[in-house]
Amino acid sequence: MSNQAIVTDKAPAALGPYSAGVVSGNVIHVSGQLGVVPETGEFAGESAVDQARQSLTNVKNILAAAGADMSNVAETTVLLTDLADFAAVNEVYAGFFAEPFPARACFQVAALPKAAKVEIKAVAYL
């Protein structure tokens, strides 16, 4: 089984030597997405809410490039630099998923690339 990189201009370019997403068999691994607008390379806003919305939009667009959508997501990981943003980010998150909701872990971290407030990664199935 070989891995196939997911390439789309509807999500930000990788900041390092990794793919935005990889299809491996029937599994889609979406790398952690910051709340960066692909067209500008800038954050969608200063708030965790704005960044979470854009992060999930980026995940959605990477999945679409692989022939999937948010209903295919089985698991996510949400990284926040301030756990006080959990409730507000959770509200945004709920707008991207329907029942049955994916499994999820959420962590507060000391820092994220580009001084982001939110990063979200996902695992989905075709």
Side-chain angles (χ1 to χ4, degrees):
M1 172 180 1
S2 64
N3 294 334
Q4 178 184 353
I6 303 167
V7 179
T8 179
D9 60 357
K10 296 188 185 315
L15 298 176
Y18 61 91
S19 300
V22 171
V23 177
S24 183
N26 69 335
V27 181
I28 303 167
H29 298 272
V30 179
S31 293
Q33 294 298 304
L34 304 178
V36 172
V37 177
E39 296 81 13
T40 66
E42 301 295 325
F43 287 116
E46 293 293 320
S47 74
V49 165
D50 291 337
Q51 291 183 25
R53 186 175 294 110
Q54 185 62 50
S55 174
L56 287 163
T57 298
N58 294 340
V59 168
K60 181 178 174 181
N61 290 340
I62 292 166
L63 290 171
D69 60 36
M70 298 300 264
S71 70
N72 296 100
V73 175
E75 179 183 16
T76 64
T77 302
V78 178
L79 305 173
L80 302 171
T81 56
D82 187 348
L83 210 48
D85 292 325
F86 178 83
V89 168
N90 203 42
E91 206 169 301
V92 171
Y93 182 96
F96 280 82
F97 296 101
E99 291 188 33
F101 297 111
R104 180 179 78 182
C106 182
F107 302 96
Q108 179 173 312
V109 296
L112 290 167
K114 295 183 73 167
K117 294 184 178 181
V118 178
E119 181 173 353
I120 302 172
K121 70 173 293 299
V123 177
Y125 293 88
L126 289 170

